[in-house]
Each structure stands twice: as C-alpha cells, then as structure tokens.
Amino acid sequence: KFAQTIPEIVDLIGSHPKYMGWFTSQKGRRHIVVCGHITYESVSHFLKDFLHEDREDVDVEVVFLHRTPPGLELEGLIKRHFTTVTFFQGSIMNTVDLQRVKVHEADACLVLANKYCPDPDAEDAANIMRVISMKNYCEESRIIIQLMQYHNKAYLLNIPSWDWKQGDDVICLAELKLGFIAQSCLAPGFSTMMANLFAMRSFITSPDMAAWQNDYLQGTGCEMYTETLSPSFSGMTFSQASELCFVKLKLLLLAIEVKPIDGGDTKISINPQSSKMPANTVGFFIAQSAEEVKRAWFYCKACHEDVKDENLIKKCKCKHLMTFRKGVRAIQLVGKTMANKTGATPATPFSAALSKPLLNIKNSVMAKEENGSKPVMNGRLVPIGPNGLVDETYGGYHISYEVKKLMPTNKPADQQKNGKMEVGIADDQAKDFDFAKTEMKYDSTGMFHWTPARSIEDCILDRNQAAMTVLNGHVVVCLFADPDSPLIGLRNLVMPLRASNFHYHELKHVVIVGAVDYLRREWKTLQNLPKISVLNGSPLSRADLRAVNVNLCDMCVILSAKVPSNDDPTLADKEAILASLNIKAMTFGDIITNIESMGDSKDALNNMGDTTVKRPGPIYGTNVPMITELVNDSNVQFLDQDDDDDPDTELYLTQPFACGTAFAVSVLDSLMSTTYFNQNALTLIRSLITGGATPELEIILAEGAGLRGGYSTPDTLSHRDRCRVGQISLSDGPLATFGEGRKYQDLFVASLRNYGMLCIGLYRLRDAALTTVDATSKRYVITNPPFDFGLLPTDQVYVLLPFERKQSRFSFSETEV
C-alpha cells in the first residue's frame, strides 16, 4: 500500500509552487512591496516609470505580492526585469505572506487601484483593508495608496498609525483628475503640462516631425526634481534665486521649502514674494534630468560667477562645499530637514533610508524627549507646544478638531476686548456672539470662497432662464450620469475654481448641464460654493448647450460618471466622444452678447489677457475651448477627426493631449513612482492643482458635513496670499513687445522683475503662420521652453501669478454673471 502512495508523495514534494518562496533581501539594497491591482497593464506602466533611466541610481528591488500566479504576459515581463523585479503569490491580508515579502523591512508598500472597476467604493474599501493589514503588521511601514474616491480618504485617517509625516500618502484619482481639469479651465492646456512634468519621459526629436511636435516633445522630457540650494543662494529673495537659476544654471525654480519661525512643519511655498531664503533651502525645479539639477547645489558665486557655459558648473574646492552629499536624485528624503535641525550630520540617501524610522520622529516630540511622559492620542504622540499646551498640529488632529469645532472659527478680535466669554456656536450662550455684524465669506481655513448652504432648487435653471441669463466667460460642465451612478466628487472640480486667492468678481460661474437626480446626490458637497447653476437637461441637446451660451464659455468640460460596461471597455467613452463631436459640429450665428464695455483703465495691466470680454464668441463649435475626460486612452483617436494620430500612439504623444483638449486618468499612474521617490512633489502638485487643500481642511471634510464657514481674521486672510495659475496673452498689454521676435529668457526675466510672475511654459498656435490673434486655431503646450526660444505675438504664456490685494492687474474673465 505504501508503494502505491510513493508517486503521490513524490508529486507533492516535487510540485512546490513556483511563487511561494520567501524574499531574501540583499544587504544594502532597498526593496518595495507592490500589491492591489496587479495585471500586465498595471505592472508594465508602473515599471516603465519606476525604472526610468532619468532617475539617478534607482537601486531598489520591486516585490509584487498577489493572490493568483501571474499570467503568461506578466510572467514574461517579470523575467525581462529579473534583476529588479520579483513576484510572490500570497495575500496581503495574511501575516505569514507579509513576513515572506519582508514588509517590515520594505522601504515602502504601494497599493495599486483598478481604475476601471465597476464599483469604485468597493475597490477603495478593499485597498484600505490592505493598508490596515500592513499597518497592523508593522506600524512603521511607509504606505502609498491609490484611491478612486475622495470621500474614502477619510477612512485612512481612522488608522491609528497612518501618518503623512512618516511618508504615508494617498493619491486620490478623482481629486487629482478633476483638479487637473479645473486648472485647465483657468489656463487651457495646463493639465497636459502638469501630467508631463511628473511622468518620466525621454524625448527624441526628429527632423521628420512637424515643428510643433518637436517643441512639444522637448517639453515632455522635463520632470520635477528637488535639490538643496547652495550657500550662495542664502539671503536672496525667491525672484532673485529663480532668475539666477534660469539665466545662469538653465533651471526653472518653481518653489521652495519654508520652515516656520515657530518650528512647525515645513511648508512648500510656490513663487513666494517676500522673505529671503535661509541657508540650505530646498528648491523644487523643472529640468530634463537629475544631473542638471545638481548645478543648484554646486553653484558657487566665487568660482562660477563668470562661467558662461552652465555645463561647466561642477563641484568646486571651496570650503563650504566640503560637506557635499553624494548623489542628488529626484528624491526628497523624508525627515532630512529633521536631521539637520537636531544637529545630525547630513544623511546620504542610503543611510537616511536605513535610519528612516529614527528620522521620522517629529521634531517637537524629540525636543521634548527628556521631559518624561508624553500625551498619546489615537496611538500617536501628541506634540507639546512651547507654552505647555497641546500643539495644534495634524499629528494630534483629534484634539485639534474636537476643540475647534466647539468654538466659532476665527473669532473676531473685538469679542475678546468686550470681555465676553468665548462660547461655542452650538452653546446656549451663543446669543452673546454678534452674527449680524460678521459676514462669513471664506471657509474656516481661509483657503476657499464660501457661501451659506443653498438648496439645489434655488440653483436650477430651465432652458428659458438660462437663455435669459447673459452667461459669458463661464465654465460649462457637461455631465453624463445615471441616477445611481457612483459619485465622482464634483466638489474637486469646483473647489479649485473657488480658491480664495481669486477676488470674488474673478470667479468663473460654473453651469452644470446634466440629470438633476444624480446632482441631488452630489449637491451636499457643492451647496456652500458660490456661483453654481444647474441646467436639468442633456449635454447632447444642442438647445440646452445654446441656452448656456456654450460658444461664449471659457471652457467646456465633458465628464461621465457612468460605469463602464464589462462587455466592451472601448465603449466606455461613447457619451463623452458624442458630446465632443456634437459641440464641434455646431454653428453659432452672429451673436452679440450684452457685455458691458470695459472702461478705460489707468492701469495698463488691468485688462491684460482678458480676451473673452473683448472678442465675440466663435462661430464654429470646433473653436469652443473644450476638455474631454476619457476612461480609455485609445479612444483619443476619435476626438479629432482631422488629426493623423496612429491608433497605437501613446496618449501623451497624441494631438488632443498635446493640445490640452483630452485628459485620461491613466496619466496619474506615474504619480505612484513620483511620490515614492519625492514625497514633496505630490504636495507641490496637490497645492497647485487643488487650489490649496490642507490637512486641516481634509479633516473637516472627513466629518461629512461639508465646508464650514469662518470669520475673517488677519490670520485666515493671510492664507489668500498664495500664487495661482494663469495664462497671459502676448498679443496686447505691456508684455506685447516680447511677442515680436524676442527670446523666452527676456520675457522670463521681465515678468519676474516687474510683476513677480513666474513663467513656466507657452501655449502656442499649431499653425504658427497665422499671425493674427485667432483663438480658433489649435494650440499645443510647450513646457519650460529653452532660454533662446523665439516668441510669437500669438503665444500665450503659462504663469504663476502672485496674489494681489487690490484688483488683479492680470485679469481674465471679469464679467459678472
């Protein structure tokens, strides 16, 4: 009988599953664990970006953990990258499997989401469970997760050991996708520029290509990097440093890290206008490679002031550079600033990676270490302020928020002078608080315009009412949704357009054309945002589109909340494509709108770039500014009937994407790699895209009660003082002289010196032979052109505009609706 079982025993012993082993890490080599939605497509996209040659010394092993063994395609891909990629079969929910892939030793754990899933909430719930499992196994694990829906971010805050200061981060696809589209409403094509910036791409120009393609491709090769500025920059203003970087080092300095005087968390300040830079400031650059960015660290005034060729700016032998740290990568080490503050020696990337848990302890907690016991809230150390009170920081957010919500936010100063007891709004004694004299215009964080909640009925227009309203310079949102479609979070589209660094009259009216039954479910997140109207109609109805003056809008956004069917994924975008082609096929008569003529302005800059008011609307629908969101990249070929894009062309190389008229969620894939290598890059992107969403605001929104109004104080009003994205025309105004054959560097320096504006790119007519101002033709995006790039009068310039307390000199659509 035993003899009969021998073949079975041999079979069992010999059939050891191929992917069931244990990961053995090489000494001195980091590894990351990737889980979630693991398919050939998701893995190939991830590896293409993660292992890109432009990243310097990426010596990181990628370990994939998935429940099922890989298919043939995926197995082939893993074998091709056998030196850097390993696959294990197992569940992230199983502690033994977490041990097998050494999650406790991993540099980070990445959770990929299925962007095309039929139920986004279920997908998010599954991925959040994976995070809970990993955090339960090892609290110190750094986790970067992709989420589909914005409202699910709140659940991550419930995980006791989730802490963004330790490098934990969430890439919310809905928030970023709609944020990108929102910025394109303010500066058409900006979504394309930003998407190309955080994706690792190498450009190869060719004489066979059209001139516009070569210009565009050169821009796609730019990426975002961080580097410590050399001591030669200390004491300079940001404008001086940015000019020096651009003119001498051929680098574009976008932002810097600012350390508050009170020793709080460092903040990223984009194009700041006032303060001088301290030594060892970290800068955020746009450049072609990590190698170029080293110049910012090498630059020495004594040695390089007379050097003309930027490539000759290398490490010199001056005393202050003897502490040079090896290897600048597109990586901002988490906690590097911490180490410098506490007197530790500057860490090399490798040593910092090994000592990460030590570096990640919050500075204020370390300073108090000798004080014995420290309060703990929700499993975290709560920082203690210098006065002995609990510090209001994100780390102790339960205390911060619970205390705050009992009080009127940002109470007027005179309340304290009156000697009245400070009370909560919900308190019986709230009658002591004079509501009548205080109007709330902004939310409690001071980052967004706010209005008391309105019911959706108050904002619904019928076709006749819409036609009677003279809409001009507005944003039309064409929304396809079934009554039970998953919520896409329209708040993420409207909030960036309501940022407090706009003056109220500059806010563009948003008109949503779609089914009211669906919008009722979205409305609670929109009810506190001003200047929103809803037309209960169909985005495919030309009568509805004419009623909302689609030909006079600043941007027409085409979105779909419908779930893609599993039968044929290529049909997922059918409504969006039909709507886009429908608008392009429309013609508009000689419509003369009742627009108030603009008075003569003493300020020459006053009406600059305000083309919507001066020109009549386009006659043909092809000239209506439009951005269409696609689910499936390959469907981009159907948006433009006159382009010659090959159906297999990558999305970023297609004409609609280069022109900024198409956006797909797939471009956000590369953010996973970007965030791992450079945590601050995501913070910078988020602050540029969302209009200023802060951790405090996210906690408030996580409560589910929407935006809260706040009373204006000098502190909250100071939050308005941040730059924003804009687009300036070179056809008229004080910068018009630069359009007449001058070089890009001349424009860059003049804009920075005279107006504090930071130029970051151009939006150029594809057919440059057209010399008249003709907004009808297609334009394409040129990111960070070379310094000697010739300008044309028809060019439009992407700029980061500083906030102006008075009326903006660089106004856009100023028509009150």
Side-chain angles (χ1 to χ4, degrees), residues 164-214:
W164 62 276
K165 289 176 185 168
Q166 291 205 146
D168 293 336
D169 229 323
V170 53
I171 293 160
C172 178
L173 299 175
E175 172 191 23
L176 292 167
K177 172 186 73 180
L178 293 174
F180 273 76
I181 292 171
Q183 294 302 334
S184 279
C185 297
L186 303 168
F190 188 74
S191 57
T192 292
M193 177 185 286
M194 286 304 291
N196 285 336
L197 272 183
F198 60 71
M200 282 288 177
R201 299 193 177 115
S202 298
F203 74 95
I204 302 170
T205 54
S206 157
D208 303 332
M209 288 183 182
W212 75 267
Q213 286 176 307
N214 280 328

Side-chain angles (χ1 to χ4, degrees), residues 193 252 727 744 747 758-763 781-785 796-799:
M193 177 185 286
L252 175 53
Q727 211 170 45
Y744 181 71
L747 171 70
L758 189 63
C759 301
I760 54 175
L762 297 175
Y763 199 38
V781 176
I782 307 173
T783 309
N784 189 25
Q796 291 177 356
V797 190
Y798 293 105
V799 292

Side-chain angles (χ1 to χ4, degrees), residues 256-270:
I256 52 171
E257 237 183 37
V258 177
K259 300 169 194 168
I261 303 162
D262 59 4
D265 299 320
T266 57
K267 290 182 181 165
I268 294 170
S269 193
I270 304 166

Side-chain angles (χ1 to χ4, degrees), residues 367-421:
K368 294 283 170 186
E369 197 135 35
E370 65 275 12
N371 290 358
S373 62
K374 299 172 282 295
V376 173
M377 172 61 70
N378 201 16
R380 305 184 202 185
L381 292 166
V382 178
I384 304 295
N387 53 4
L389 298 174
V390 173
D391 198 3
E392 279 195 21
T393 63
Y394 184 64
Y397 66 78
H398 278 116
I399 288 180
S400 164
Y401 181 60
E402 295 302 326
V403 171
K404 267 188 155 182
K405 75 174 183 179
L406 296 174
M407 298 186 280
T409 56
N410 311 320
K411 298 165 292 302
D414 59 357
Q415 187 186 355
Q416 294 164 7
K417 289 177 196 166
N418 296 341
K420 293 182 184 174
M421 185 170 67

Side-chain angles (χ1 to χ4, degrees), residues 622-665:
T622 46
N623 303 327
V624 171
M626 202 182 316
I627 183 164
T628 307
E629 186 233 332
L630 297 175
V631 172
N632 198 312
D633 289 10
S634 62
N635 287 332
V636 74
Q637 61 182 310
F638 305 121
L639 281 179
D640 259 337
Q641 300 299 296
D642 62 341
D643 67 9
D644 49 3
D645 288 329
D646 187 297
D648 297 325
T649 308
E650 277 192 81
L651 176 70
Y652 84 97
L653 294 170
T654 61
Q655 186 176 293
F657 188 76
C659 296
T661 56
F663 190 81
V665 72

Side-chain angles (χ1 to χ4, degrees), residues 133 227 335 402 470 490 690 697 738 815:
S133 172
E227 176 52 295
E402 295 302 326
V470 184
L490 279 174
T690 60
L697 182 72
F738 293 96
T815 313

